[in-house]
Each structure stands twice: as structure tokens, then as C-alpha cells.
């Protein structure tokens, strides 16, 4: 394929309800979309970086800058263009995995559309639909939390994840267990809000039979997670710490986690995400697909990834309506707690031109 140019598109979509985590509150999602134009086809990439560098060091404007000044020029200079050659071509640029992932996703979509091949099949999917969980933000009161969780269970979600932080951990978990029972698949996500000195406090979660505790400690604290793992019966899962297949192999070897949350954006793309899946599968480590409040474009690709055989736990691949009143693609709708894996070429979904236009803040065309 030959690259013609890349359009950067900043969109802003209000969330149906504010989403509070230990690192901040989101009321709208600002997303950078890429339209990768080649001689053969166009492809869409979604950058999962958030507006501010609080989940990780990346943020939307930094990603746009890296794409504009370093990544697209590096890709333009590469001798060949296909999805497998994107990561090697961008490797001289350090970091910026979310920016790289967006570009690779766009090239991958273009390549697959040109060849008429669906992403799920390309990645090695074995399922036609995937079971879905939902990530529930920190609330102002236990009553509000129970109403919210009850609504999601009524909607059919098969797993609940509660965001936690010091001061909002044991009590919300206890309240959800008391109201909805021990059969609900329940897990928590701290987004690095604790230290290993909190081990005794976190052990108070053990009696509640959680599936896992996600990323309790700092992104760089693999040894701390390994130590914490010896002090808890609840399995640890890593999110922020797993930036590559190598990081996943290290974490498993160190005993820092028994599960991995795979987010393609965090690790530099869907191809590295598949390698992490393979490393984990080889070690018997169940994985699940995380989320970054994606639009229908990123959601389509995440659902395809979640259909791989090692995705043995329900992911944060919730329905479009969990996030947005009007998604930029045809909405993903929960059916019996599952989302269907797209079957069309590439991502298998397209932006709806009118909606896309209505949420667009700015576009920029990088010609080659
Ligand atoms: O830590 O998994 C996380 C959303 C934004 C940033 C980080 C995280 C999350 C979520 C929600 O938990 C996942 C989703 O529903 O997309
Ligand atoms: Mg997380």
C-alpha cells in the first residue's frame, strides 16, 4: 500500500454520566481519530489517550503532536506500508504507544478493507459474540452506587467492576455483595491509588470473593505487586503496568499478577495486544479486554480482540449506550449480556457522517 495522507480529527462527546476514578472525573470524552488514506482504501484509527496525563503519561494533544511531527513522517519514510511494518517503522520514536497504536489501527483497517478481510479473523478470533462487563465509577453515596449497579445487572451485564480508592473500597464492595449476592462476578480497579503499606487494608477485600483487584499499586511497582500478591488471596490483575509483551512476561515471571487487562492503545496496538494474549495464554494467565471509553470504532476492534481464545474473563467492552447518547457508529447493543463481533471487512463499522460532523471540534490533513 502507498500512504496518501492522514487526517487528524478531534472529537468531543459528552458522557451519559460522569465517570469518576481515583485519578479524576470525566464528563466528556475528547478523542483523537485518524483517517488513514492509502492508494487502496481508507482506514480509521482511534487514539485512546485522554485529555490529561492522569491515567498514563500520554494525552490527546501530545499524541497529536507526536503523530504530526514524528510518527507520520517516519511512516512516510518507510519502504513498505502494511500493518505489520508500522511498529518497526515507528520504533525509533520512544514511548507514545497510544499514538502509535492509533496509527497502526488505521493502517490495519485500511489494509483489511482493501483485502475484504475482517479484523476478528485476522487476529485469530474464535467467538461470534463476547460476554461483557461494565466499569462503575466512584459515586457520592452507597445508595447511588447500588442503584447504578442494579441498573447494569438489569441490563444484562455479566460482570461488575467497581472503581476504588482509599476511603471507597471495603464499604462499597460489602454493600454490593449484600444487595446483589455472592454469585455476581465482581472485581475492583484502583488505578494505582494504593501502596504496598496498604496490604493489610486491601486484605479486608479477601472475604468478598472478588475475581481480582486491578492495578492497586504504581505502574512501575512490579516488585510491590509481587509482594502484595503474597499477602492477599484475591488475584492481582495489572493494567497500567503492562505496556508490552515483554512487560507481561516479566510481571508473570515475578508473580506480580495472575490476570492481565489488555488494552491495545496502552501497548502500542492490536498486534502487540495479540502478542500479550499469546504470552499470557502460554503461561495459563487468563486475560480480558479493557476499555478507554472508546467510540464505536475502537469498540469494534476491542470486541474483535476479546473474541480470541485466551480472553477467559468478561471485559470492559460495554454497550455504546453505557457511554454515549449518540455514538459515531451504529451503536453496539447488549444482547443477553454479549456484544456481537463485527464481521465486515476491517473494523466492520464506519462513522455515521452526520454524527461524526456534529461532534468534530477540528480536523487537520497531513498530506504526504
Ligand atoms: O483503568 O480500566 C481503566 C477508563 C478510562 C481509563 C482507564 C480505565 C477505564 C475504565 C473504563 O475502567 C473502561 C471502559 O468502560 O471503557
Ligand atoms: Mg484499569
Amino acid at each position: 500500500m502507498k500512504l496518501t495522507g492522514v487526517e487528524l480529527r478531534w472529537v468531543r462527546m459528552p458522557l451519559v454520566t460522569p465517570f469518576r476514578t481515583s485519578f479524576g472525573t470525566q464528563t466528556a470524552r475528547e478523542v483523537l481519530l485518524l483517517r488513514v488514506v492509502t492508494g487502496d482504501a481508507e482506514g480509521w484509527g482511534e487514539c485512546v489517550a485522554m485529555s490529561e496525563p492522569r491515567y498514563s503519561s500520554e494525552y490527546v494533544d501530545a499524541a497529536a503532536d507526536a503523530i504530526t511531527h514524528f510518527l507520520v513522517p517516519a511512516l512516510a519514510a518507510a519502504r513498505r506500508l502494511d500493518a505489520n511494518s508500522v511498529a518497526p517503522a515507528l520504533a525509533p520514536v520512544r514511548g507514545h504507544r497510544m499514538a502509535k497504536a492509533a496509527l497502526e489501527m488505521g493502517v490495519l483497517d485500511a489494509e483489511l478493507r482493501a483485502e475484504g478481510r475482517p479484523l476478528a479473523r485476522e487476529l485469530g478470533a474464535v467467538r461470534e459474540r463476547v460476554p461483557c462487563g461494565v466499569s462503575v465509577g466512584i459515586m457520592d453515596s452507597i445508595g447511588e452506587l447500588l442503584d447504578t449497579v442494579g441498573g447494569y445487572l438489569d441490563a444484562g451485564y455479566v460482570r461488575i467492576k467497581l472503581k476504588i480508592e482509599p476511603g471507597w473500597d471495603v464499604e462499597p464492595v460489602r454493600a454490593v455483595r449484600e444487595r446483589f449476592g455472592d454469585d455476581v462476578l465482581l472485581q475492583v480497579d484502583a488505578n494505582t491509588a494504593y501502596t504496598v503499606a496498604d496490604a493489610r487494608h486491601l486484605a479486608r477485600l479477601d472475604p468478598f470473593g472478588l475475581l481480582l483487584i486491578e492495578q492497586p499499586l504504581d505502574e512501575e511497582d512490579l516488585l510491590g505487586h509481587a509482594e502484595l500478591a503474597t499477602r492477599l488471596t484475591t488475584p492481582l490483575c495489572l493494567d497500567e503496568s503492562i505496556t508490552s509483551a515483554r512487560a507481561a512476561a516479566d510481571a508473570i515471571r515475578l508473580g506480580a499478577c495472575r490476570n492481565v487487562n489488555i488494552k491495545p492503545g496502552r501497548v502500542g496496538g492490536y498486534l502487540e495486544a495479540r502478542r500479550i494474549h499469546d504470552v499470557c495464554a502460554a503461561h495459563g494467565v487468563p486475560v480480558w479486554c479493557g476499555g478507554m471509553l472508546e467510540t464505536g470504532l475502537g469498540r469494534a476492534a476491542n470486541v474483535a480482540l476479546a473474541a480470541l481464545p485466551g480472553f477467559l474473563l468478561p471485559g470492559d467492552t460495554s454497550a455504546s449506550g453505557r457511554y454515549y447518547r449518540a455514538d459515531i457508529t451504529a451503536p453496539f447493543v447488549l444482547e443477553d449480556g454479549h456484544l456481537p463481533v463485527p464481521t465486515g471487512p476491517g473494523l466492520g463499522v464506519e462513522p455515521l457522517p452526520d454524527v461524526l460532523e456534529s461532534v468534530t471540534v477540528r480536523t487537520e490533513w497531513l498530506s504526504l
Side-chain angles (χ1 to χ4, degrees), residues 16-37:
V16 293
T17 154
F19 184 59
R20 179 173 158 203
T21 64
S22 63
F23 62 83
T25 304
Q26 261 86 50
T27 55
R29 184 73 168 102
E30 285 165 319
V31 192
L32 175 65
L33 300 178
L34 302 180
R35 187 166 58 91
V36 173
V37 182

mmCIF file of all heavy atoms in Angstrom, residues 16-37:
data_model
loop_
_atom_site.group_PDB
_atom_site.id
_atom_site.type_symbol
_atom_site.label_atom_id
_atom_site.label_comp_id
_atom_site.label_asym_id
_atom_site.label_seq_id
_atom_site.Cartn_x
_atom_site.Cartn_y
_atom_site.Cartn_z
ATOM 1 N N VAL A 16 -22.784 9.966 29.062
ATOM 2 C CA VAL A 16 -24.166 9.956 29.574
ATOM 3 C C VAL A 16 -24.189 10.245 31.070
ATOM 4 O O VAL A 16 -25.164 10.798 31.589
ATOM 5 C CB VAL A 16 -24.902 8.619 29.284
ATOM 6 C CG1 VAL A 16 -25.145 8.434 27.799
ATOM 7 C CG2 VAL A 16 -24.141 7.428 29.843
ATOM 8 N N THR A 17 -23.091 9.886 31.755
ATOM 9 C CA THR A 17 -22.997 10.163 33.185
ATOM 10 C C THR A 17 -21.527 10.368 33.527
ATOM 11 O O THR A 17 -20.666 9.739 32.915
ATOM 12 C CB THR A 17 -23.636 9.002 33.995
ATOM 13 O OG1 THR A 17 -23.054 8.950 35.298
ATOM 14 C CG2 THR A 17 -23.425 7.682 33.337
ATOM 15 N N PRO A 18 -21.215 11.264 34.481
ATOM 16 C CA PRO A 18 -19.795 11.493 34.804
ATOM 17 C C PRO A 18 -19.134 10.186 35.243
ATOM 18 O O PRO A 18 -19.783 9.344 35.865
ATOM 19 C CB PRO A 18 -19.850 12.492 35.959
ATOM 20 C CG PRO A 18 -21.198 13.129 35.892
ATOM 21 C CD PRO A 18 -22.113 12.104 35.297
ATOM 22 N N PHE A 19 -17.857 10.018 34.906
ATOM 23 C CA PHE A 19 -17.125 8.796 35.244
ATOM 24 C C PHE A 19 -15.958 9.173 36.142
ATOM 25 O O PHE A 19 -15.016 9.822 35.705
ATOM 26 C CB PHE A 19 -16.628 8.128 33.954
ATOM 27 C CG PHE A 19 -15.947 6.805 34.176
ATOM 28 C CD1 PHE A 19 -16.620 5.745 34.786
ATOM 29 C CD2 PHE A 19 -14.643 6.612 33.767
ATOM 30 C CE1 PHE A 19 -15.990 4.529 34.984
ATOM 31 C CE2 PHE A 19 -14.003 5.394 33.966
ATOM 32 C CZ PHE A 19 -14.688 4.350 34.574
ATOM 33 N N ARG A 20 -16.076 8.762 37.442
ATOM 34 C CA ARG A 20 -15.046 9.138 38.410
ATOM 35 C C ARG A 20 -14.168 7.942 38.746
ATOM 36 O O ARG A 20 -14.664 6.868 39.058
ATOM 37 C CB ARG A 20 -15.703 9.686 39.682
ATOM 38 C CG ARG A 20 -14.695 10.079 40.750
ATOM 39 C CD ARG A 20 -15.372 10.773 41.923
ATOM 40 N NE ARG A 20 -14.533 10.666 43.108
ATOM 41 C CZ ARG A 20 -14.973 10.753 44.369
ATOM 42 N NH1 ARG A 20 -16.259 10.956 44.586
ATOM 43 N NH2 ARG A 20 -14.147 10.633 45.374
ATOM 44 N N THR A 21 -12.869 8.172 38.670
ATOM 45 C CA THR A 21 -11.892 7.153 39.032
ATOM 46 C C THR A 21 -10.957 7.763 40.067
ATOM 47 O O THR A 21 -11.080 8.952 40.407
ATOM 48 C CB THR A 21 -11.038 6.745 37.808
ATOM 49 O OG1 THR A 21 -10.284 7.891 37.401
ATOM 50 C CG2 THR A 21 -11.911 6.292 36.656
ATOM 51 N N SER A 22 -9.990 6.974 40.547
ATOM 52 C CA SER A 22 -9.061 7.509 41.546
ATOM 53 C C SER A 22 -8.174 8.597 40.944
ATOM 54 O O SER A 22 -7.514 9.317 41.677
ATOM 55 C CB SER A 22 -8.214 6.380 42.138
ATOM 56 O OG SER A 22 -7.411 5.785 41.147
ATOM 57 N N PHE A 23 -8.165 8.738 39.605
ATOM 58 C CA PHE A 23 -7.319 9.772 39.000
ATOM 59 C C PHE A 23 -8.092 10.959 38.468
ATOM 60 O O PHE A 23 -7.507 11.889 37.909
ATOM 61 C CB PHE A 23 -6.392 9.180 37.918
ATOM 62 C CG PHE A 23 -7.097 8.551 36.738
ATOM 63 C CD1 PHE A 23 -7.557 9.318 35.688
ATOM 64 C CD2 PHE A 23 -7.267 7.173 36.678
ATOM 65 C CE1 PHE A 23 -8.187 8.746 34.599
ATOM 66 C CE2 PHE A 23 -7.896 6.584 35.587
ATOM 67 C CZ PHE A 23 -8.360 7.369 34.550
ATOM 68 N N GLY A 24 -9.410 10.990 38.644
ATOM 69 C CA GLY A 24 -10.155 12.162 38.206
ATOM 70 C C GLY A 24 -11.560 11.836 37.723
ATOM 71 O O GLY A 24 -11.952 10.675 37.672
ATOM 72 N N THR A 25 -12.299 12.892 37.354
ATOM 73 C CA THR A 25 -13.686 12.739 36.890
ATOM 74 C C THR A 25 -13.789 13.202 35.437
ATOM 75 O O THR A 25 -13.370 14.309 35.107
ATOM 76 C CB THR A 25 -14.643 13.582 37.755
ATOM 77 O OG1 THR A 25 -14.473 13.193 39.122
ATOM 78 C CG2 THR A 25 -16.088 13.367 37.346
ATOM 79 N N GLN A 26 -14.355 12.335 34.592
ATOM 80 C CA GLN A 26 -14.599 12.702 33.191
ATOM 81 C C GLN A 26 -16.079 12.982 32.984
ATOM 82 O O GLN A 26 -16.912 12.178 33.411
ATOM 83 C CB GLN A 26 -14.252 11.517 32.269
ATOM 84 C CG GLN A 26 -12.892 11.570 31.603
ATOM 85 C CD GLN A 26 -11.828 10.994 32.497
ATOM 86 O OE1 GLN A 26 -11.982 9.914 33.024
ATOM 87 N NE2 GLN A 26 -10.754 11.719 32.666
ATOM 88 N N THR A 27 -16.398 14.085 32.326
ATOM 89 C CA THR A 27 -17.794 14.319 31.967
ATOM 90 C C THR A 27 -17.987 14.265 30.457
ATOM 91 O O THR A 27 -19.101 14.148 29.966
ATOM 92 C CB THR A 27 -18.269 15.699 32.466
ATOM 93 O OG1 THR A 27 -17.375 16.693 31.954
ATOM 94 C CG2 THR A 27 -18.268 15.761 33.988
ATOM 95 N N ALA A 28 -16.882 14.363 29.728
ATOM 96 C CA ALA A 28 -16.931 14.241 28.272
ATOM 97 C C ALA A 28 -15.652 13.544 27.826
ATOM 98 O O ALA A 28 -14.646 13.566 28.538
ATOM 99 C CB ALA A 28 -17.029 15.607 27.615
ATOM 100 N N ARG A 29 -15.721 12.917 26.677
ATOM 101 C CA ARG A 29 -14.552 12.233 26.130
ATOM 102 C C ARG A 29 -14.051 13.034 24.947
ATOM 103 O O ARG A 29 -14.793 13.261 23.977
ATOM 104 C CB ARG A 29 -14.949 10.823 25.685
ATOM 105 C CG ARG A 29 -13.800 9.961 25.184
ATOM 106 C CD ARG A 29 -12.937 9.508 26.336
ATOM 107 N NE ARG A 29 -12.006 8.469 25.946
ATOM 108 C CZ ARG A 29 -10.708 8.672 25.711
ATOM 109 N NH1 ARG A 29 -10.204 9.895 25.777
ATOM 110 N NH2 ARG A 29 -9.920 7.677 25.409
ATOM 111 N N GLU A 30 -12.804 13.491 25.040
ATOM 112 C CA GLU A 30 -12.175 14.120 23.888
ATOM 113 C C GLU A 30 -11.295 13.073 23.229
ATOM 114 O O GLU A 30 -10.411 12.512 23.869
ATOM 115 C CB GLU A 30 -11.346 15.327 24.333
ATOM 116 C CG GLU A 30 -12.254 16.489 24.672
ATOM 117 C CD GLU A 30 -11.561 17.593 25.455
ATOM 118 O OE1 GLU A 30 -10.770 17.282 26.364
ATOM 119 O OE2 GLU A 30 -11.833 18.755 25.151
ATOM 120 N N VAL A 31 -11.573 12.780 21.990
ATOM 121 C CA VAL A 31 -10.896 11.684 21.302
ATOM 122 C C VAL A 31 -10.219 12.201 20.045
ATOM 123 O O VAL A 31 -10.773 13.034 19.327
ATOM 124 C CB VAL A 31 -11.893 10.573 20.880
ATOM 125 C CG1 VAL A 31 -11.143 9.318 20.442
ATOM 126 C CG2 VAL A 31 -12.859 10.249 21.985
ATOM 127 N N LEU A 32 -9.048 11.684 19.786
ATOM 128 C CA LEU A 32 -8.370 11.950 18.516
ATOM 129 C C LEU A 32 -8.597 10.755 17.595
ATOM 130 O O LEU A 32 -8.244 9.628 17.943
ATOM 131 C CB LEU A 32 -6.869 12.139 18.765
ATOM 132 C CG LEU A 32 -6.016 12.313 17.508
ATOM 133 C CD1 LEU A 32 -6.370 13.601 16.766
ATOM 134 C CD2 LEU A 32 -4.534 12.288 17.870
ATOM 135 N N LEU A 33 -9.229 11.020 16.449
ATOM 136 C CA LEU A 33 -9.433 9.979 15.445
ATOM 137 C C LEU A 33 -8.496 10.219 14.271
ATOM 138 O O LEU A 33 -8.176 11.374 13.946
ATOM 139 C CB LEU A 33 -10.872 9.993 14.932
ATOM 140 C CG LEU A 33 -11.978 9.776 15.958
ATOM 141 C CD1 LEU A 33 -13.346 9.874 15.287
ATOM 142 C CD2 LEU A 33 -11.813 8.417 16.646
ATOM 143 N N LEU A 34 -8.055 9.156 13.647
ATOM 144 C CA LEU A 34 -7.207 9.262 12.463
ATOM 145 C C LEU A 34 -7.915 8.606 11.286
ATOM 146 O O LEU A 34 -8.457 7.515 11.429
ATOM 147 C CB LEU A 34 -5.872 8.542 12.691
ATOM 148 C CG LEU A 34 -5.025 8.996 13.873
ATOM 149 C CD1 LEU A 34 -3.742 8.175 13.928
ATOM 150 C CD2 LEU A 34 -4.712 10.485 13.779
ATOM 151 N N ARG A 35 -7.897 9.300 10.150
ATOM 152 C CA ARG A 35 -8.354 8.665 8.913
ATOM 153 C C ARG A 35 -7.116 8.461 8.061
ATOM 154 O O ARG A 35 -6.492 9.431 7.606
ATOM 155 C CB ARG A 35 -9.389 9.552 8.200
ATOM 156 C CG ARG A 35 -10.036 8.889 6.997
ATOM 157 C CD ARG A 35 -11.275 9.673 6.539
ATOM 158 N NE ARG A 35 -10.940 11.059 6.211
ATOM 159 C CZ ARG A 35 -10.582 11.477 4.986
ATOM 160 N NH1 ARG A 35 -10.540 10.626 3.960
ATOM 161 N NH2 ARG A 35 -10.286 12.753 4.784
ATOM 162 N N VAL A 36 -6.721 7.217 7.905
ATOM 163 C CA VAL A 36 -5.506 6.886 7.168
ATOM 164 C C VAL A 36 -5.893 6.597 5.716
ATOM 165 O O VAL A 36 -6.658 5.673 5.446
ATOM 166 C CB VAL A 36 -4.805 5.659 7.803
ATOM 167 C CG1 VAL A 36 -3.636 5.207 6.944
ATOM 168 C CG2 VAL A 36 -4.346 5.991 9.228
ATOM 169 N N VAL A 37 -5.392 7.424 4.814
ATOM 170 C CA VAL A 37 -5.774 7.301 3.409
ATOM 171 C C VAL A 37 -4.623 6.692 2.630
ATOM 172 O O VAL A 37 -3.499 7.223 2.637
ATOM 173 C CB VAL A 37 -6.151 8.681 2.816
ATOM 174 C CG1 VAL A 37 -6.588 8.551 1.363
ATOM 175 C CG2 VAL A 37 -7.252 9.328 3.658
#
